[in-house]
Amino acid sequence: MSDLAPESPRLELDCRGMRCPLPIIRLANAVTDVEVGEVIAVVATDVAARADVPAWCRMRGHAYLGERPAPDGVPTYLVRRLR
C-alpha cells in the first residue's frame, strides 16, 4: 500500500524476533495507548505480520496505512487508530 502516514508514528512497537501471534497481541494491547487518529508503527521480523496486521485492522476497525522499512530494513507496519 502507498497511503503511508505523513506524520511520525505516535508509538512504535519493537516486535523484532517475536513470532506470531505476539506482534498482534502487542498491537492489540497498545492501541488504546494512542489517541483516535494517531498512528502506531509495528516493527516486526515475523513474515506473518505482513498479512496479520492488515487483517487485524479490518477486524478491529482501524486503518492499515501500509508498510515501510525501518532504518535497519525491518518491515514497519503502520496503523491508524480509528475508534
Side-chain angles (χ1 to χ4, degrees):
M1 297 200 144
S2 61
D3 184 22
L4 295 180
E7 73 275 16
S8 296
R10 177 75 170 113
L11 178 64
E12 181 175 292
L13 303 176
D14 185 354
C15 298
R16 290 172 179 88
M18 294 181 185
R19 298 184 66 185
C20 182
L22 292 178
I24 297 304
I25 291 170
R26 292 273 319 273
L27 175 58
N29 288 337
V31 74
T32 57
D33 292 346
V34 301
E35 298 293 325
V36 171
E38 292 182 324
V39 176
I40 298 174
V42 181
V43 184
T45 51
D46 184 8
V47 296
R50 182 166 279 136
D52 291 348
V53 173
W56 181 87
C57 289
R58 283 190 304 275
M59 291 187 300
R60 299 294 181 213
H62 300 291
Y64 176 65
L65 301 178
E67 174 185 337
R68 67 180 178 201
D72 62 357
V74 174
T76 301
Y77 306 97
L78 300 171
V79 174
R80 184 179 308 280
R81 181 180 175 192
L82 294 182
R83 48 188 204 89

